[in-house]
Amino acid sequence: MDIIISGVPPVQKGAGLFIQQIEKEAELNSEIEILYTNFRMLAGIQLNKKQYLKFIKSVLLHVKSRFNIWWFAYFGKVNNYKKLIVIHHQLIGLKLVEKIVKRKKGVTTLFLLDSGFFCIASYNHIERENSECIECLGGNYSSIEKNNCKPFPVRNNYNVFFLRNLHKYVDRGKIDFITQNKNHENLVKTHFGQRVKVSTLGIWTSDLPEKNEIHRIRKNRKLSDFILFHGAPISAKGMYYSLELAGLCPDIEFIFPFNKSNIGNYTESSNCTFREMNWDSGLKDYAMKARIVLVPSLNSPPVESAFVKSLIYCSAVAVVNIETSFSAELNNQIIIKLDRDPIVASSEVIKYYKSHWVPDEKIINNWIDNHYKNNQNPLE
């Protein structure tokens, strides 16, 4: 019997889409159990939608889940499970994860969704900078205070101690890792040493189309003259980078799928349009019409759902050229890789925009085929 302990609930958002896929497969396999430990994300979604009865139920479910993971960590039969996989250790609770690791005879596996194995902010990026940050890679955490880094997604003063202890657990063979892509695996090896046990599994989200639908989707697109930002309204996902880029390309309309209030006191240019929407409430339609879709993450992102969906549904997809990212592994003929400097990138964007650049359809179809083949059943 194996168990997956997830800090993310199965919701229609971000990593929750991956958990939805895991849940579908686990339902078909009686040898896999899932323990959910945190329903705060689900409660937040329901509160935003003013679904108050569902919100109350999710709050109660969250309280119950927190008790369940506490009981499991301290008194549960952790050694009855052959494999014990932890997904999103930050949301489960760092001390609880450590307790499980200590009690488990053998290896506990951390499935990595971000850079939370070496970065207390999880997204290894310094606010308003146009690059990833790898100053703590290797285990020297002196830059945390210098850069005023804060723990994310949970404010937890234990975070640095947890990161230091990870090295001890790895050295003792108590922890190994699963990553989503090769560059993320390389980061793990750089941080812990080449002898660390790490495997690359890939990732799949429940909202991707059936493979036999992709040709029709790509063939029926009708493009319009605008650029769409596809990402969360935070610096690590390239929001400020894209706003600056828009200011340097005044003749091109840039659409941002969130409320203008998210940019704070940043003064946007007149060619920026803000429309609050998600993938199912208009974003997909805009993405399929955009001349270029920007997914300009400025951390070391593994396989992002927004990026994969953009590659499948959209015409031209542009990223920032981050060497430690998943997108760096892809052929230059299927994505646009922009310079980190928005001034240089603006010239690149204008060139690709005016030329109506599109990816090599044969190469991108081969990539899509391989992505489906290698990732669709992550538990196999």
Side-chain angles (χ1 to χ4, degrees), residues 104-153:
K104 180 82 169 75
K105 296 175 181 177
V107 179
T108 297
T109 299
L110 299 191
F111 190 109
L112 300 176
L113 297 177
D114 50 40
S115 298
F117 63 96
F118 75 88
C119 173
I120 68 166
S122 297
Y123 295 141
N124 55 313
H125 166 78
I126 298 172
E127 187 85 1
R128 304 255 180 150
E129 292 196 2
N130 295 327
S131 65
E132 82 278 43
C133 174
I134 54 174
E135 291 183 32
C136 292
L137 195 66
N140 183 356
Y141 301 109
S142 59
S143 294
I144 292 175
E145 185 175 356
K146 180 192 74 173
N147 295 325
N148 195 30
C149 299
K150 304 297 181 185
F152 180 85

Side-chain angles (χ1 to χ4, degrees), residues 302-357:
V303 187
E304 297 175 288
S305 174
F307 179 56
V308 173
K309 283 190 290 192
S310 296
L311 283 171
I312 291 173
Y313 282 94
C314 307
S315 177
V317 179
V319 299
V320 179
N321 192 16
I322 303 291
E323 293 179 2
T324 56
S325 69
F326 169 64
S327 62
E329 301 174 23
L330 272 61
N331 191 308
N332 290 356
Q333 291 179 276
I334 65 173
I335 56 171
I336 299 168
K337 296 180 181 178
L338 300 175
D339 195 272
R340 299 179 183 205
D341 184 343
I343 296 175
V344 177
S346 65
S347 299
E348 298 170 337
V349 165
I350 292 169
K351 178 186 73 173
Y352 286 115
Y353 184 87
K354 288 184 174 179
S355 67
H356 291 186
W357 183 89

Side-chain angles (χ1 to χ4, degrees), residues 226 228-232 255-258 275-290 293-294 306 309-310 313-314:
F226 65 87
L228 176 73
F229 172 83
H230 188 185
I255 296 178
F256 295 85
F258 48 79
R275 291 193 176 99
E276 191 166 8
M277 52 186 165
N278 58 37
W279 189 251
D280 296 319
S281 65
L283 181 56
K284 179 171 74 172
D285 294 332
Y286 274 94
M288 292 177 66
K289 293 176 184 176
V293 173
L294 284 175
K309 283 190 290 192
S310 296
Y313 282 94
C314 307

